[in-house]
Structure formats: structure tokens, C-alpha cells
Amino acid sequence: MISIQGLHKNFGELEVLKGIDLQIEQGKVVVVIGPSGSGKTTFLRCLNALELPSEGRISLDSTAIDLSEKVSGKQISEFRRLTGMVFQSYNLFPHKTALDNVTEGPIVVKGVGKEEAQRKAKVLLQKVGLGEKVNEYPFQLSGGQQQRVGIARALAMEPKVMLFDEPTSALDPELVGEVLKVMKDLAAEGMTMVVVTHEMRFAREAADEVIFMDNGAIVEKGKPEDIFKNPKEERTRRFLRLIG
Ligand code: ADP
């Protein structure tokens, strides 16, 4: 589903990703953990073409668009359409209702008719437990509800892969569970997901593979039970000790 080869990303002199190789199969949930500044967000943004790699290739799905500095704007938007991104800060349109936040992408980017977009958006909002909130504005919703609108909005574009960038970090602790539940349901339905998170319990329970990143590289990867119970690398052990 996703193939990443020799991915490098520099910001000026700073080398943030130092050669990442990874294959992700369809339907798998990959959780990326690691210290702050290790390049997790940049990695995820490369998968969504929000950042273009300095070197290396990413191909996604059978369309196999290869992403490097030389791709056209059209290829980038095609690539981006295959992925749905959920941000830490929700990034909803504040002046639009939950429903309009979800229909915006399909109508504007995909040219879906308004009625059809609304019908599908209602189904998605129902699915994330917000069937009663379709006409509310973001300021009328809790952080957990806003983030669930964010997930519905990403799903509305019918992506092949969902990318989550610390989706629960901005939430009050009591609201984290409702968002993780929606993510677990999605995983159980077979959605391919890449999740950057500090929620180790989610990683333990939902991940097929856990990737430990440090200093712009993958230090260790494996099944959650191996990474958490029996990490091979000293850097992984130290990180897991620190986060307790
Ligand atoms: P993480 O998600 O693991 O905390 P990031 O990917 O956010 O790590 O950041 C990795 C490094 O890249 C940091 O040193 C950060 O300051 C730097 N960085 C991220 N984005 C940019 C940017 N747009 N311009 C310059 N430096 C950046």
C-alpha cells in the first residue's frame, strides 16, 4: 500500500529525516513513537505531500505516484487525495457547521453534488458519534467532538490511508478515550493508518507495528509486544523508561 525508500528531508542545513525505508501493507495500523524533535511529524507530512522529500521515493497504492522534488502540482494533489490527515489542532473551519466542514472537501475538491455530499457527511458524522451535532459550529463542540469532526472530514474524501498527527495531544484527558475509540473502530474496519501518538496504550492495543524514531531515523520497529516488553535497542529502552 505504501512504500517508502531512502526518504530524506532537509530544512536548509538541518537534516530532519536521514533515510527512512518502510513498507506498509493494506489494512495495517502503524504507530510512530519517539522523542520530541525526532522527525515524526515531518515524516507524516511527507506521506501527505505537505512536505516534499529532499531525496527518496514514496509510492502509495496501485496508482504508485512517486514523490520527489520533480513532481507536478497535479501529481501532488492526486497523491494528497489518497491520504486523509487528522491534525493535533483539528484545523476545522470556525465559521462552518460540523456538516459543512465535512462536505467542503468533497464539494470543492472532488466536485460531488451538495445533496450527495451532505448525505454521506451525515453518515460519517453518525459513525463518529456526532449524529446529533451536524448543525453545531466548532465553538459549540468539545475538543473531542471537534477532533471527531476532523476525522469525519478526512474520511469524507475516501482516502486509502489515514494519517494522524498526535490527534489527542491537545485534548483534556477525559476526552482522549472517545477519539481513540473512533480510531480503533476505523482500524477494526480495515483502514490503513499511520498514527503519531504519545498514547502508548493505543499503540499496545491497536498497532500492528510500532516504529520507534529518534534523530530522524527508524531505530527499531516491531510488534507492540516486542517493542514494549522486549526492546532490542538501548535508545528505545531509555525512551520507554522516560515516558514510564
Ligand atoms: P517530532 O514530530 O518528532 O517532534 P518534527 O518533525 O516536528 O519532530 O521536527 C523535527 C525537526 O525538524 C525539529 O528540529 C524541528 O524544529 C524541525 N522542523 C520541522 N519543521 C520545520 C520547518 N518547516 N522548517 C524548519 N525546521 C523544521
Coordinates of all heavy atoms in Angstrom, one line a residue, residues 9-12 14-17 32-45 51 165-166 196 198 213-216, ligand 1:
K9 N 14.7 14.3 4.4 CA 14.1 15.7 4.3 C 15.1 16.6 5.0 O 15.4 16.4 6.2 CB 12.8 15.7 5.0 CG 12.1 17.0 5.0 CD 11.7 17.5 3.6 CE 11.2 18.9 3.7 NZ 11.0 19.4 2.3
N10 N 15.4 17.7 4.3 CA 16.2 18.7 5.0 C 15.4 20.0 5.0 O 14.6 20.3 4.1 CB 17.5 19.1 4.1 CG 18.3 17.9 3.9 OD1 18.4 16.9 4.7 ND2 19.1 17.8 2.8
F11 N 15.6 20.8 6.1 CA 15.1 22.2 6.1 C 16.4 23.0 6.1 O 17.1 23.1 7.2 CB 14.3 22.4 7.4 CG 13.0 21.8 7.3 CD1 12.7 20.7 8.2 CD2 12.0 22.1 6.4 CE1 11.4 20.1 8.2 CE2 10.7 21.5 6.4 CZ 10.5 20.5 7.3
G12 N 16.8 23.6 5.0 CA 18.1 24.3 4.9 C 19.2 23.3 5.3 O 19.3 22.2 4.7
L14 N 19.5 21.8 8.1 CA 19.1 20.8 9.1 C 18.5 19.5 8.4 O 17.6 19.6 7.6 CB 18.0 21.4 10.0 CG 17.5 20.6 11.1 CD1 18.6 20.4 12.2 CD2 16.2 21.2 11.8
E15 N 19.2 18.4 8.7 CA 18.7 17.2 8.1 C 17.7 16.5 9.1 O 18.1 16.0 10.2 CB 19.9 16.2 7.8 CG 19.5 15.0 7.0 CD 20.6 14.1 6.7 OE1 21.6 14.0 7.5 OE2 20.5 13.3 5.7
V16 N 16.4 16.6 8.8 CA 15.4 16.1 9.8 C 15.1 14.7 9.6 O 14.8 13.9 10.5 CB 14.2 17.0 9.6 CG1 13.0 16.5 10.5 CG2 14.5 18.4 10.0
L17 N 15.0 14.2 8.3 CA 14.8 12.7 8.1 C 16.1 12.2 7.3 O 16.5 12.8 6.3 CB 13.6 12.5 7.2 CG 12.3 12.9 7.9 CD1 11.1 12.7 6.9 CD2 12.0 12.3 9.2
V32 N 3.7 5.5 15.2 CA 5.1 6.0 15.3 C 5.3 6.7 16.6 O 4.5 7.6 17.0 CB 5.3 7.0 14.1 CG1 6.8 7.5 14.1 CG2 5.0 6.4 12.8
I33 N 6.3 6.3 17.4 CA 6.6 6.9 18.7 C 8.1 7.4 18.6 O 8.8 7.0 17.7 CB 6.4 5.9 19.8 CG1 7.4 4.7 19.7 CG2 5.0 5.4 19.9 CD1 7.4 3.8 21.0
G34 N 8.4 8.2 19.6 CA 9.8 8.7 19.7 C 9.8 10.1 20.3 O 8.8 10.7 20.4
P35 N 11.0 10.5 20.7 CA 11.1 11.8 21.4 C 10.7 13.0 20.6 O 10.7 12.9 19.3 CB 12.6 11.9 21.8 CG 13.3 10.7 21.3 CD 12.3 9.8 20.6
S36 N 10.4 14.1 21.2 CA 10.0 15.3 20.5 C 11.2 15.7 19.7 O 12.4 15.7 20.1 CB 9.7 16.3 21.6 OG 9.4 17.5 21.0
G37 N 11.0 16.2 18.5 CA 12.0 16.6 17.6 C 12.7 15.5 16.8 O 13.6 15.8 16.0
S38 N 12.2 14.3 16.9 CA 12.9 13.2 16.2 C 12.4 13.1 14.7 O 13.0 12.3 14.0 CB 12.6 11.9 16.9 OG 11.2 11.6 17.0
G39 N 11.4 13.9 14.3 CA 11.1 13.9 12.9 C 9.8 13.2 12.6 O 9.4 13.0 11.4
K40 N 9.0 12.9 13.6 CA 7.7 12.1 13.4 C 6.7 12.9 12.6 O 6.2 12.3 11.6 CB 7.1 11.7 14.8 CG 8.0 11.0 15.7 CD 7.4 10.6 17.0 CE 6.9 11.7 17.9 NZ 8.0 12.6 18.4
T41 N 6.5 14.1 12.9 CA 5.5 15.0 12.2 C 6.0 15.2 10.8 O 5.2 15.1 9.8 CB 5.3 16.3 12.9 OG1 4.7 16.0 14.2 CG2 4.5 17.3 12.1
T42 N 7.3 15.5 10.6 CA 7.8 15.7 9.3 C 7.6 14.5 8.4 O 7.2 14.5 7.2 CB 9.3 16.1 9.3 OG1 9.4 17.2 10.2 CG2 9.9 16.4 8.0
F43 N 7.8 13.3 9.0 CA 7.6 12.0 8.3 C 6.2 11.9 7.8 O 5.9 11.6 6.6 CB 8.0 10.9 9.2 CG 7.7 9.5 8.7 CD1 8.3 9.1 7.5 CD2 6.9 8.7 9.4 CE1 8.0 7.8 7.0 CE2 6.6 7.4 8.9 CZ 7.1 7.0 7.7
L44 N 5.3 12.2 8.7 CA 3.8 12.1 8.4 C 3.5 13.1 7.3 O 2.7 12.8 6.4 CB 3.0 12.4 9.7 CG 1.7 11.7 9.8 CD1 1.8 10.2 9.7 CD2 1.0 12.1 11.1
R45 N 4.0 14.3 7.4 CA 3.7 15.4 6.4 C 4.3 15.0 5.1 O 3.7 15.4 4.0 CB 4.2 16.7 6.9 CG 3.4 17.3 8.1 CD 4.0 18.5 8.7 NE 4.1 19.6 7.8 CZ 3.2 20.5 7.6 NH1 2.0 20.4 8.3 NH2 3.3 21.5 6.8
E51 N 4.9 18.1 2.9 CA 6.3 18.4 2.7 C 6.8 17.5 1.6 O 6.3 16.4 1.5 CB 7.1 18.1 4.0 CG 6.7 18.8 5.2 CD 7.1 20.2 5.2 OE1 7.8 20.7 4.3 OE2 6.7 20.9 6.2
D165 N -1.7 12.9 13.2 CA -0.6 13.6 13.9 C -0.9 14.0 15.3 O -1.5 15.0 15.5 CB -0.2 14.8 13.0 CG 1.1 15.4 13.5 OD1 1.8 14.7 14.3 OD2 1.5 16.5 13.1
E166 N -0.6 13.2 16.2 CA -0.9 13.4 17.6 C -2.3 13.9 17.8 O -2.5 15.0 18.4 CB 0.1 14.5 18.2 CG 1.6 14.0 18.1 CD 2.5 14.8 19.0 OE1 2.1 15.5 19.9 OE2 3.7 14.7 18.7
V196 N 0.9 9.0 14.6 CA 2.0 9.5 15.5 C 1.2 9.9 16.9 O 0.3 10.6 16.9 CB 2.6 10.8 15.0 CG1 3.6 11.4 16.0 CG2 3.4 10.5 13.7
H198 N 1.5 9.8 21.5 CA 2.1 9.5 22.8 C 1.3 8.5 23.6 O 1.6 8.2 24.8 CB 2.4 10.8 23.6 CG 3.3 11.8 22.9 ND1 4.6 11.5 22.7 CD2 3.0 13.0 22.3 CE1 5.1 12.5 22.0 NE2 4.2 13.4 21.8
M213 N 11.2 6.1 16.4 CA 12.1 7.0 15.7 C 12.9 7.8 16.6 O 12.4 8.3 17.7 CB 11.2 8.0 14.8 CG 11.0 7.5 13.4 SD 10.0 8.7 12.5 CE 11.3 9.9 12.1
D214 N 14.1 8.1 16.3 CA 15.0 9.0 17.0 C 15.9 9.7 16.1 O 16.5 9.0 15.2 CB 15.7 8.3 18.2 CG 16.3 9.2 19.2 OD1 16.0 10.4 19.2 OD2 17.2 8.8 19.9
N215 N 16.1 11.0 16.2 CA 17.1 11.7 15.5 C 16.9 11.5 13.9 O 17.9 11.3 13.2 CB 18.5 11.3 16.0 CG 19.5 12.3 15.6 OD1 19.2 13.4 15.2 ND2 20.8 11.8 15.6
G216 N 15.7 11.5 13.5 CA 15.5 11.4 12.0 C 15.6 10.0 11.4 O 15.6 9.9 10.1
Ligands
ADP1 P1 8.6 15.5 16.1 O1 7.2 15.4 15.4 O2 9.2 14.1 16.3 O3 8.5 16.3 17.4 P2 9.3 17.2 13.9 O4 9.1 16.5 12.7 O5 8.1 18.2 14.3 O6 9.6 16.2 15.1 O7 10.6 18.1 13.9 C1 11.9 17.6 13.6 C2 12.8 18.7 13.5 O8 12.6 19.4 12.3 C3 12.8 19.7 14.6 O9 14.2 20.1 14.9 C4 12.1 20.9 14.0 O10 12.5 22.1 14.6 C5 12.5 20.8 12.6 N1 11.4 21.3 11.7 C6 10.2 20.8 11.5 N2 9.5 21.5 10.5 C7 10.4 22.5 10.1 C8 10.3 23.6 9.2 N3 9.2 23.8 8.4 N4 11.4 24.4 9.0 C9 12.5 24.2 9.7 N5 12.7 23.2 10.6 C10 11.6 22.4 10.8

